[in-house]
Amino acid sequence: DTGVSQDPRHKITKRGQNVTFRCDPISEHNRLYWYRQTLGQGPEFLTYFQNEAQLEKSRLLSDRFSAERPKGSFSTLEIQRTEQGDSAMYLCASSLVKTGGYTFGSGTRLTVV
Amino acid sequence: GENVEQHPSTLSVQEGDSAVIKCTYSDSASNYFPWYKQELGKRPQLIIDIRSNVGEKKDQRIAVTLNKTAKHFSLHITETQPEDSAVYFCAASKDNNDMRFGAGTRLTVKP
C-alpha cells in the first residue's frame, strides 16, 4: 500500500457528459474525503465518508455530484451533465478517525470543454 | 461552518531568512490545525500540525504557534532554503472532520 491512489490522473470531457473518478485510500484509513482545488486556491471541501457512511456534504456539492463508498474501501465521485465551471483538480484524501492529518492522492484533473 | 483566512498570499524571502505565515479561523470548536506544503503539480503534503491543547510545536526548522483566544495560528520557517519554495496551506477542523483550508501562501525563497 503506497498511499492514496486516484484514477484517472487526467480527464477531458465535453460539456454535458458524465464523468466518474475513483479513489483508493490507504487501506487502514476509515475516513475518506473529496476536495476540489482550482488554480491559486486552497482545497475546497466537498464530502467525506467514515467507512461506508457519507457523513457530510458541502453546499458546493450540487445535485449533479454524487459520491459513494459502497464497501467502506474505495470511493467514486460522479459528476453528471458536466459544466465548464466543474473544471478543477479533484483531490481525495484519507485519514484515521480523529488522529493525524490527511494523506492526499495526486488528484484527478478534470477539463470540461 | 468553519472559515479559514490566510495571509499573506505571496511571500518572498532571501535564503537564510525566516518566513511567517498567519491564519485565522472562525469556529471556536476547531481543535486541529495542520499545515500543508504543495509543490507545483503535486499533492498537498502534511508538514506539521498542532492540536488545541498545546500552544507551540516545533520540528527542526518549522514551528507552529496557536492562540486559541484570538483564534489564530502561524507557521514559522527559519533558515529558509530554495527547496522551501512552494504554496503553503493552513487548515482547521474539529476532530479531523471536514477540514477547511486557507487560500494558500506562495513562498519564494531567493538564493
Side-chain angles (χ1 to χ4, degrees):
Chain A
D1 191 339
T2 57
V4 179
S5 300
Q6 290 189 246
D7 183 69
R9 292 293 304 274
H10 304 275
K11 178 71 176 178
I12 300 174
T13 190
K14 291 184 178 179
R15 188 176 52 184
Q17 298 294 304
N18 299 344
V19 294
T20 300
F21 311 140
R22 175 178 171 127
C23 172
D24 287 87
I26 292 173
S27 56
E28 60 266 30
H29 285 182
N30 46 13
R31 284 209 174 158
L32 185 149
Y33 311 83
W34 285 100
Y35 283 81
R36 180 173 68 189
Q37 186 176 28
T38 53
L39 197 63
Q41 297 298 314
E44 295 176 296
F45 170 77
L46 294 178
T47 188
Y48 85 98
F49 294 84
Q50 182 164 314
N51 300 314
E52 64 274 10
Q54 188 172 18
L55 296 188
E56 186 162 345
K57 293 170 59 174
S58 164
R59 285 171 292 179
L60 291 174
L61 214 66
S62 75
D63 56 6
R64 296 186 298 107
F65 288 70
S66 62
E68 295 183 341
R69 194 183 183 197
K71 297 181 180 179
S73 56
F74 74 92
S75 175
T76 58
L77 177 69
E78 181 183 18
I79 308 174
Q80 296 182 326
R81 305 181 302 282
T82 52
E83 301 172 357
Q84 286 189 319
D86 297 331
S87 296
M89 175 72 82
Y90 289 83
L91 291 165
C92 174
S94 68
S95 76
L96 290 168
V97 175
K98 294 189 178 182
T99 62
Y102 297 179
T103 301
F104 280 91
S106 295
T108 293
R109 182 169 295 285
L110 172 66
T111 302
V112 181
V113 297
Chain B
E2 176 64 270
N3 181 49
V4 178
E5 296 194 353
Q6 181 173 350
H7 58 95
S9 57
T10 60
L11 179 60
S12 181
V13 299
Q14 286 294 135
E15 182 177 1
D17 287 351
S18 295
V20 180
I21 302 170
K22 299 181 179 181
C23 289
T24 61
Y25 61 99
S26 61
D27 188 350
S28 56
S30 291
N31 56 9
Y32 177 65
F33 308 92
W35 286 86
Y36 287 81
K37 176 182 181 182
Q38 188 174 31
E39 297 179 37
L40 190 62
K42 297 190 176 180
R43 72 190 77 186
Q45 292 198 305
L46 178 70
I47 56 171
I48 195 167
D49 56 11
I50 191 168
R51 297 189 182 274
S52 58
N53 57 346
V54 299
E56 184 173 356
K57 183 176 178 180
K58 190 172 182 180
D59 182 4
Q60 299 183 343
R61 296 186 297 108
I62 295 173
V64 57
T65 59
L66 171 65
N67 182 327
K68 285 189 295 183
T69 304
K71 289 191 282 190
H72 67 71
F73 55 114
S74 301
L75 177 71
H76 304 252
I77 306 174
T78 58
E79 300 170 27
T80 53
Q81 302 167 2
E83 51 266 39
D84 293 331
S85 296
V87 179
Y88 291 81
F89 294 101
C90 62
S93 74
K94 183 180 185 311
D95 296 335
N96 215 29
N97 292 338
D98 51 317
M99 196 171 300
R100 306 303 168 122
F101 287 77
T105 296
R106 180 173 300 279
L107 174 64
T108 303
V109 180
K110 294 179 287 187

